């Protein structure tokens, strides 16, 4: 039952561990998934280039299996002073509530993509994936020359066709159920909230590249269902957040364990880009402002001190607790054991 994509990437199970920026995808998690027969993925979008290289080296010390690295395609932002000032005014009372200094504009809003891309070429993973935008032809050429295969994220048909026309190797179909940030770069994000299986089927039927299903997949039967709809592999993120190898905080893991069905929502309030996570007080307080906050990565940088202080104090109400729609189906297992369990469930779904 191995797909062409699985054979190419030496996958025993058609499973990719989603790259989840913010510390979840530690080298031990990435290595454990790859060692168990899936494809581990290092989220490097928030890492400076030297950290990207050191974490890739750490993965290689733990496994000789293929793994991937993910980056956000983005330009250096140049927000207006007025937009920044308004966001700081909204955050000021929350800073006072937590006993923090007044919010301020940081020295920079994100790591420079060009330097991260250079580090990615040097790290030379088997696979690289990209979201929030699309590469240019020269960047794709450099990846091909380095023998790094390319996955492009698509939340709608137009994005899938754009990656196919560029010459990517596979498309990750991000359905509305997915946790964390939406990858939309063509059209409005609110118009690209297709259910995962529907999006997978449309992309598999209407463009030539292999499709990877992503969004709300937590069980082996979910993998089987996605592959029946045309996926050649499946990307699971929330399923791995409670693994001991995951780098998220104990508080975040505890909140995931307590999550009830229907407990997530999409918001722009934390980062300036729609993202799905557990509902909390900050989302409610900012509900009438979230469409007005500065776009990612500006708002993400502005809320950084607030989220860091909340994490230190153990306050869930000001944390971005990213999670997919089916978070309540999560399991607390070592990553290798979870991969083995998902493999058996996937096979059982076919039997």
């Amino acid at each position: 039952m191995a797909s062409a994509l699985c054979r190419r990437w030496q996958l025993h199970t058609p499973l990719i561990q989603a790259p989840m920026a913010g510390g979840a995808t530690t080298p031990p998690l990435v290595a454990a998934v790859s060692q168990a027969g899936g494809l581990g993925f290092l989220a490097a979008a928030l890492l400076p280039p030297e950290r990207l290289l050191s974490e890739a080296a750490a993965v290689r010390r733990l496994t000789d299996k293929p793994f991937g690295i993910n980056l956000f395609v983005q330009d250096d932002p140049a927000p207006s002073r007025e937009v920044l000032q308004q966001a700081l005014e909204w955050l000021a009372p929350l800073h006072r509530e937590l006993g923090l200094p007044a919010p301020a504009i940081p020295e920079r809003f994100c790591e420079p993509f060009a330097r991260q891309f250079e580090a990615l070429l040097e790290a030379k993973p088997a696979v690289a994936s990209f979201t929030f935008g699309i590469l240019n032809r020269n960047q794709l050429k450099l990846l091909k020359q380095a023998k790094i295969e390319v996955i492009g994220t698509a939340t709608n048909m137009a994005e899938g066709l754009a990656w196919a026309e560029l010459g990517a190797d596979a498309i990750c179909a991000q359905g509305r159920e997915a946790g964390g940030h939406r990858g939309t770069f063509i059209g409005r994000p609110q118009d690209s909230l297709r259910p995962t299986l529907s999006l997978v089927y449309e992309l598999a039927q209407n463009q030539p590249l292999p499709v990877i299903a992503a969004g709300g997949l937590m069980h082996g039967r979910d993998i089987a269902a996605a592959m029946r709809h045309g996926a050649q592999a499946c990307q699971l993120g929330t399923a791995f957040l409670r693994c001991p190898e995951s780098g998220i905080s104990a508080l975040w893991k505890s909140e995931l364990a307590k999550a009830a069905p229907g407990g997530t929502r999409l918001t722009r309030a934390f980062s300036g880009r729609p993202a799905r996570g557990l509902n909390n007080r900050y989302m409610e307080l900012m509900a009438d402002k979230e469409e007005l906050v500065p776009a990612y990565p500006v708002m993400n940088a502005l809320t950084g001190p607030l989220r860091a202080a909340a994490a230190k104090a153990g306050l869930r109400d000001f944390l971005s607790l990213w999670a997919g729609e089916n978070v309540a189906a999560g399991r607390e297992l070592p990553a290798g054991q979870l991969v083995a369990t998902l493999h058996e469930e996937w096979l059982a779904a076919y039997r």
Side-chain angles (χ1 to χ4, degrees):
M1 293 188 293
S3 67
L5 200 64
C6 289
R7 290 193 294 271
R8 205 159 79 215
W9 294 342
Q10 303 172 40
L11 306 186
H12 177 60
T13 303
L15 169 66
I16 296 168
Q17 161 253 305
M20 297 171 283
T25 57
T26 63
L29 176 65
V30 175
V33 172
S34 289
Q35 195 66 30
L39 184 68
F41 241 97
L42 182 66
L46 304 182
L47 304 182
E50 56 274 13
R51 177 91 178 275
L52 184 158
L53 290 169
S54 67
E55 295 212 356
V59 174
R60 285 201 169 94
R61 287 194 293 271
L62 296 169
T63 184
D64 60 357
K65 303 293 186 183
F67 69 96
I69 295 177
N70 170 267
L71 290 178
F72 298 163
V73 181
Q74 58 188 350
D75 297 322
D76 292 336
S80 71
R81 190 79 190 181
E82 293 75 17
V83 166
L84 288 172
Q85 192 58 44
Q86 178 64 83
L88 294 177
E89 289 176 10
W90 288 332
L91 292 173
L94 303 179
H95 274 236
R96 287 195 295 271
E97 182 176 335
L98 269 63
L100 297 174
I105 300 170
E107 289 184 13
R108 63 182 178 190
F109 297 108
C110 63
E111 295 294 331
F113 176 69
R115 291 187 57 225
Q116 289 179 317
F117 188 81
E118 290 173 0
L120 171 69
L121 293 172
E122 184 178 342
K124 226 172 176 183
V127 187
S129 70
F130 300 90
T131 190
F132 292 12
I134 191 166
L135 301 175
N136 61 43
R137 294 196 177 279
N138 184 59
Q139 289 166 336
L140 186 80
K141 179 182 176 182
L142 291 171
L143 289 162
K144 297 286 190 182
Q145 289 173 344
K147 295 184 168 35
I148 301 171
E149 298 214 24
V150 176
I151 302 171
T153 302
T155 63
N156 57 52
M157 192 67 219
E159 292 169 353
L161 291 172
W163 279 108
E165 195 276 332
L166 181 69
D169 297 288
I171 292 171
C172 180
Q174 187 192 38
R176 74 177 183 202
E177 302 93 331
H181 286 97
R182 303 296 300 158
T184 306
F185 63 93
I186 296 177
R188 302 187 308 164
Q190 58 267 42
D191 295 332
S192 297
L193 294 172
R194 293 276 298 282
T196 300
L197 297 185
S198 173
L199 181 62
V200 166
Y201 183 79
E202 183 182 30
L203 285 166
Q205 293 294 315
N206 293 290
Q207 57 78 46
L209 300 182
V211 175
I212 299 161
L217 311 179
M218 301 290 286
H219 191 279
R221 62 176 172 266
D222 301 327
I223 298 173
M227 295 186 76
R228 290 191 186 102
H229 281 72
Q232 289 201 21
C234 294
Q235 181 171 285
L236 281 66
T238 303
F240 286 96
L241 284 177
R242 290 172 59 197
C243 294
E245 299 94 337
S246 161
I248 67 172
S249 68
L251 173 60
W252 190 347
K253 289 183 180 181
S254 173
E255 292 300 321
L256 294 172
K258 294 186 292 185
T264 68
R265 59 169 286 188
L266 286 168
T267 182
R268 288 184 77 251
F270 278 111
S271 71
R273 175 176 276 268
R276 182 176 296 283
L278 300 181
N279 195 23
N280 62 12
R281 182 174 161 231
Y282 176 84
M283 291 187 192
E284 299 293 345
L285 288 172
M286 295 290 288
D288 61 341
K289 306 176 183 69
E290 65 174 277
E291 294 305 318
L292 304 174
V293 302
Y296 189 97
V298 175
M299 191 63 179
N300 195 58
L302 294 180
T303 62
L306 180 71
R307 289 179 284 123
K312 187 174 181 181
L315 301 174
R316 79 176 302 278
D317 278 335
F318 299 102
L319 289 175
S320 49
L321 302 167
W322 304 138
E325 268 191 10
N326 294 327
V327 57
R331 293 170 280 197
E332 191 170 341
L333 294 171
Q337 186 178 338
L338 180 56
V339 172
T341 300
L342 289 164
H343 179 83
E344 289 304 315
E345 292 170 347
W346 165 59
L347 292 178
Y350 280 104
R351 296 192 196 108

